[in-house]
Amino acid sequence: VRPWDLKVHNNNFFDRIFSEGSLALGEGYMDGWWYTQSVDQFICKLLSSNVSGKINPYKVLVLSLQAKLTNLQNLKRAMQVADNHYNLGNRLFEIMLDSRMTYTCGYWKHAEDLETSQEHKLDLVCKKLHLQEGQHVLDIGCGWGSFAKFAAENYGARVTGITISTEQVDYARENCKNLPIEIIVKDYRLMEGKFDHIVSLGMFEHVGNKNFRTFFQQANRCLKDDGLFLLHTIGGLESNVTPDPWIHKYIFPNGQIPSLAEISAAAEKLFLVEDVHNFGAYYDKTLMAWFDNFHAGWDEIKVDFDERFYRMWKFYLQACAGAFRARDLQLWQFVLSKNGVPGVYDRIS
């Protein structure tokens, strides 16, 4: 038996797949209808074969229509992802992530472990910004404060971090106390002020195509004329307003993976693209490292969750790893300026 081979425990599984597509695939795994030794290898094989693209069930069409007719990421709905995901409890993420609580792709070019890869990623971001002591940075979607703390401690920066997760705010404020850091609960659309630089690491996936232009307009308003904006986001190979049904229901409600075309169009006449860096292959290693930590720490946190949650979280982490391995998903870092930097922009990597 190969690691990616399926063992089906319920004969209704295939009918369910043709009826509900990827939603049934994830729910079937959660329900114990099928099993494989390696979810990540199975998903990589599935996406590489393009079989998944030939199934377009009714529920996907309904979700697509909903995404086209409504703003899934308006101010009210934007809070759902905080309630459903980021507020699950800090202990889960402490177990899963590195010591800094960095919930974005690591930079593994010169790293052998998760901790080092995340430190190198945060340092790479600071270097790409040409960050100087005393500069004020806005961190849109600051998470648990990993970038803010790193930039303050290692580069002498002042940071204002915003997030819609109350759990993250409580943790980040304690984690960053006695540093020139302010962490506040705020939607990016309500932010005011001017900043030397802006970063957004792993938040743009929650913005939605109906709000892409608004996001860049707001960043333009908040960035000083000579500042830099570093946008770090998962990216897709094509423009698609429909979120993955299983991810939408269980992991990241109302999320949408942007394409290069969508980002370019939304930033047009607002920003000049100084640099684009794709290191999506590193997300495979990051996600598998997160799963290893989650699995190793399960006995410590399972009092708060059930076995179905374990299968759900395993499917989330390993399926996403498989998608990045198949290069179906990308990870881009953009460096943007309002008026162009003097000379040629120097990316230090």
Side-chain angles (χ1 to χ4, degrees), residues 35-298:
Y35 174 78
T36 181
Q37 291 179 28
S38 176
V39 172
D40 52 296
Q41 291 189 61
F42 166 70
I43 293 295
C44 181
K45 296 283 186 183
L46 182 69
L47 291 173
S48 298
S49 70
N50 200 34
V51 170
S52 58
K54 296 178 172 62
I55 302 175
N56 200 18
Y58 171 74
K59 288 192 176 181
V60 173
L61 298 177
V62 171
L63 184 56
S64 177
L65 188 63
Q66 182 187 20
K68 289 176 180 177
L69 296 179
T70 63
N71 186 348
L72 293 178
Q73 300 84 9
N74 61 30
L75 275 167
K76 185 177 180 180
R77 293 180 66 101
M79 299 301 296
Q80 291 178 1
V81 71
D83 295 336
N84 290 22
H85 190 90
Y86 296 107
N87 291 341
L88 280 171
N90 289 333
R91 191 59 190 144
L92 166 64
F93 294 102
E94 286 176 329
I95 289 289
M96 186 176 86
L97 305 178
D98 64 304
S99 65
R100 289 186 173 89
M101 297 276 277
T102 314
Y103 198 18
T104 49
C105 181
Y107 191 64
W108 294 78
K109 184 176 181 180
H110 301 296
E112 297 296 329
D113 56 70
L114 180 64
E115 189 74 18
T116 307
S117 77
Q118 295 294 12
E119 180 180 335
H120 288 184
K121 190 269 302 297
L122 296 173
D123 194 51
L124 178 65
V125 171
C126 293
K127 287 177 178 176
K128 285 183 175 181
L129 291 173
H130 299 170
L131 189 58
Q132 303 297 314
E133 185 174 355
Q135 289 185 328
H136 191 185
V137 182
L138 171 63
D139 185 354
I140 301 175
C142 65
W144 292 274
S146 63
F147 169 80
K149 187 174 184 182
F150 183 89
E153 289 181 336
N154 294 278
Y155 284 82
R158 176 184 165 209
V159 183
T160 296
I162 61 174
T163 174
I164 58 173
S165 166
T166 54
E167 289 275 336
Q168 289 182 335
V169 164
D170 291 343
Y171 186 99
R173 284 176 177 168
E174 178 64 24
N175 191 36
C176 299
K177 65 182 180 181
N178 302 322
L179 290 168
I181 295 170
E182 182 184 20
I183 306 292
I184 50 181
V185 177
K186 192 179 285 288
D187 187 279
Y188 69 92
R189 285 162 283 208
L190 305 177
M191 194 63 201
E192 297 177 348
K194 287 283 188 180
F195 299 85
D196 295 299
H197 302 295
I198 298 175
V199 299
S200 184
L201 309 179
M203 176 271 177
F204 193 67
E205 301 90 334
H206 302 305
V207 170
N209 71 306
K210 285 186 169 60
N211 308 298
F212 287 164
R213 184 68 175 176
T214 300
F215 179 88
F216 281 108
Q217 287 172 335
Q218 183 68 343
N220 181 276
R221 281 193 290 268
C222 289
L223 184 65
K224 292 182 179 179
D225 287 345
D226 60 349
L228 293 174
F229 173 26
L230 187 139
L231 177 66
H232 171 119
T233 180
I234 295 170
L237 296 174
E238 59 185 23
S239 301
N240 184 1
V241 301
T242 308
D244 177 84
W246 187 83
I247 291 288
H248 169 72
K249 183 174 181 179
Y250 291 99
I251 308 298
F252 296 117
N254 310 317
Q256 183 193 338
I257 303 301
S259 69
L260 270 176
E262 289 172 320
I263 293 172
S264 179
E268 191 170 296
K269 296 186 178 180
L270 295 171
F271 287 103
L272 185 153
V273 179
E274 299 287 357
D275 187 63
V276 183
H277 187 184
N278 184 347
F279 52 92
Y282 290 155
Y283 230 142
D284 177 10
K285 299 182 72 170
T286 303
L287 284 153
M288 293 306 293
W290 288 344
F291 173 72
D292 289 343
N293 288 345
F294 169 71
H295 177 73
W298 175 245

Side-chain angles (χ1 to χ4, degrees), residues 1 33 71 75 87 164 219 300-301 303 312 323 329:
V1 177
W33 282 31
N71 186 348
L75 275 167
N87 291 341
I164 58 173
E300 184 176 338
I301 59 174
V303 64
M312 178 186 80
L329 292 174

